[in-house]
Amino acid sequence: MDDVLPRRDRNGLLLLPQASQDPRDPLNWKPWLKIMVLAEISLLSFLSLLSASLITPNFQPLSRYLDRPLGQTVYVTSMFLLSCALSSIFWNPISNVYGRRPVYIITVLGGLLMSVASGKATSYGPLLAFRCLNGFFGGVPGGLGNAVVTDLFFTHERGLYMGIYTVMYITGGHIAPIIGGYIADDISWRWCFYIPAIITAVVWVIYVLTVPETLYPRASQTQQPQRRTWTQNMTLQGSSNSTGRLRLIDFFRPFQMLIYPSVLLPSLYYAVAFAHGSILFIISSAQLFAADYGYEAKRTGLLLGIPITVGSVLGELLSGGFSDWISERRSLARGKRKPEDRFLAIIPSFFLTPLGIIIEGLCLEHRTHFMGVAMGIATASFGLQVATTVVYTYTSECYKPQTPEIGTILNFARNMVSFGMSFYALPFVVAVGVQDAWIVLALTIVVFFFPLVPLYLWGAKWRERLGNPAFNSDL
């Protein structure tokens, strides 16, 4: 390997990471195979959040069926998010040793079975229990997908491909309200759990038959891991990382990453932005749209789902490839890559996500035409998607070997703050009115954005001073 010249991109910059000479190395796979794997793990993440959110436009009829107040019914979604936050802490360390493929196979199957069980529940307690298990298994694609993207693609490509993954994941929760109301009205609210389970089952079978293992340890020549054949890979024979061992400390590694500002600060910002720029709309729309506009489930789903989906898609058109372009241009100017360059692409989110929240709050307070509400939701969603892609790409570029742990932290922070939203958002509206409540929540995002400015200026120096984490150095 020492006599092999380092590989460079088309602009002459050093490729990171350097691929091995092994054709089984995911970095050496054919483009069609990489895109196929990306498409399938993105679709699984889409279905994960679809399963979480399809019931949300139907909280009113579900509340009547369960004979529970609306404030308690929203926990059907909140408990899913809570267990999602915890699931990656358990499953991602396992994937670092036994591989991404077996973890996906086990958890996706478990998630779809728990979704079916949720649809069959006849009372509040069992429904919450099944939703917790649904999130524990079914939430894994949302917390592990970023690791698969970094397994497959070089640093200079990740903005585009990470963006595809993240927009698919978020869009699952945004498409759900559009169709959820129609499903409940035309069939039954139970099918809001059955339908994602059926679709996930089909995708699961395709995944089992077509997607190989992407985990590829990059040990030194003095400690070469034992490589599996393609047949062993697909049939789950042996460990994907023969040099790795699963230890108790591995389940706490994600929290170790919080000592690094390049992980801590973006994670805090993204968690608040996601909760206030997406989940806030999802959990509040059923009550607020019914109170202000008299909307039933179908129209609630349309007014929420269409603008939030359009905003996400348009936001991704700006963020993914654009952040790659900025990074490449600035890297050419200095002769080497610097992850902080990507923060220049996050600037629109600073303005648009808070602005969109404020617009919706003002329109709901004054009961303007529904298009004002739609524009507010779309604007916030646009800004959130920009933030999502940049944060995921930046953190994985800073610490590629620790990408699963970073994905765990992002997933944990995002879902914990989102879970908390169900306890304070609607009571806050009752206390001070939707306009003032939404303004305060919007300004909270601004507060958490400001620490990214010193990170942009001095993040590289901070990383150099702190050094790299010692664990997962072979990944």
Side-chain angles (χ1 to χ4, degrees), residues 208-288:
V208 171
L209 296 176
T210 61
V211 174
E213 179 57 61
T214 64
L215 180 66
Y216 188 88
R218 302 183 185 279
S220 66
Q221 285 186 307
T222 59
Q223 191 186 11
Q224 282 295 331
Q226 181 181 355
R227 303 296 185 194
R228 298 191 299 178
T229 65
W230 280 96
T231 302
Q232 291 173 326
N233 184 321
M234 294 298 290
T235 55
L236 306 180
Q237 296 181 42
S239 172
S240 295
N241 184 0
S242 60
T243 65
R245 296 291 181 272
L246 187 63
R247 298 169 299 174
L248 181 62
I249 188 63
D250 293 331
F251 297 98
F252 298 92
R253 293 295 191 192
F255 300 101
Q256 183 178 334
M257 295 303 298
L258 293 176
I259 68 173
Y260 300 96
S262 295
V263 175
L264 174 63
L265 300 180
S267 297
L268 290 174
Y269 169 67
Y270 175 59
V272 174
F274 183 85
H276 295 178
S278 177
I279 300 301
L280 176 65
F281 302 135
I282 291 173
I283 67 170
S284 66
S285 294
Q287 180 168 326
L288 296 181

Side-chain angles (χ1 to χ4, degrees), residues 53-54 56-57 172-181 282 297-298 300-302 304-305:
S53 306
L54 203 59
T56 53
H174 296 171
I175 291 285
I178 300 176
I179 60 178
I282 291 173
K298 288 182 179 178
T300 293
L302 291 174
L304 171 62

Side-chain angles (χ1 to χ4, degrees), residues 133-385:
L133 291 171
N134 193 181
F136 180 73
F137 291 106
V140 169
L144 187 56
N146 68 317
V148 177
V149 174
T150 58
D151 290 341
L152 293 170
F153 299 102
F154 294 101
T155 296
H156 72 285
E157 304 172 308
R158 289 182 193 153
L160 173 63
Y161 296 114
M162 193 72 79
I164 293 172
Y165 161 73
T166 58
V167 76
M168 283 288 289
Y169 174 64
I170 290 181
T171 302
H174 296 171
I175 291 285
I178 300 176
I179 60 178
Y182 286 89
I183 292 171
D185 283 355
D186 297 340
I187 311 177
S188 163
W189 61 263
R190 297 183 186 278
W191 281 89
C192 291
F193 301 116
Y194 296 152
I195 287 177
I198 293 169
I199 300 173
T200 302
V202 174
V203 178
W204 179 82
V205 171
I206 297 172
Y207 180 95
V208 171
L209 296 176
T210 61
V211 174
E213 179 57 61
T214 64
L215 180 66
Y216 188 88
R218 302 183 185 279
S220 66
Q221 285 186 307
T222 59
Q223 191 186 11
Q224 282 295 331
Q226 181 181 355
R227 303 296 185 194
R228 298 191 299 178
T229 65
W230 280 96
T231 302
Q232 291 173 326
N233 184 321
M234 294 298 290
T235 55
L236 306 180
Q237 296 181 42
S239 172
S240 295
N241 184 0
S242 60
T243 65
R245 296 291 181 272
L246 187 63
R247 298 169 299 174
L248 181 62
I249 188 63
D250 293 331
F251 297 98
F252 298 92
R253 293 295 191 192
F255 300 101
Q256 183 178 334
M257 295 303 298
L258 293 176
I259 68 173
Y260 300 96
S262 295
V263 175
L264 174 63
L265 300 180
S267 297
L268 290 174
Y269 169 67
Y270 175 59
V272 174
F274 183 85
H276 295 178
S278 177
I279 300 301
L280 176 65
F281 302 135
I282 291 173
I283 67 170
S284 66
S285 294
Q287 180 168 326
L288 296 181
F289 293 174
D292 291 349
Y293 298 106
Y295 279 10
E296 79 295 344
K298 288 182 179 178
R299 288 195 290 176
T300 293
L302 291 174
L303 181 53
L304 171 62
I306 292 177
I308 208 169
T309 301
V310 171
S312 292
V313 172
L314 293 178
E316 184 49 43
L317 292 177
L318 172 66
S319 57
F322 181 59
S323 74
D324 282 341
W325 181 83
I326 288 178
S327 177
E328 190 77 359
R329 293 302 96 191
R330 293 181 65 83
S331 298
L332 285 171
R334 77 166 66 88
K336 64 177 182 178
R337 302 186 189 280
K338 181 181 176 183
E340 281 71 27
D341 291 334
R342 293 189 184 274
F343 276 134
L344 295 176
I346 207 174
I347 293 174
S349 73
F350 170 74
F351 299 99
L352 296 178
T353 306
L355 176 62
I357 297 169
I358 292 172
I359 290 173
E360 196 213 27
L362 289 171
C363 292
L364 288 174
E365 180 77 21
H366 300 284
R367 301 194 177 186
T368 67
H369 192 274
F370 72 86
M371 281 302 297
V373 173
M375 287 301 298
I377 294 173
T379 301
S381 183
F382 186 106
L384 175 62
Q385 184 56 44

Side-chain angles (χ1 to χ4, degrees), residues 78-90:
S78 300
M79 295 306 293
F80 184 102
L81 296 174
L82 175 62
S83 55
C84 275
L86 301 174
S87 66
S88 294
I89 297 174
F90 179 80

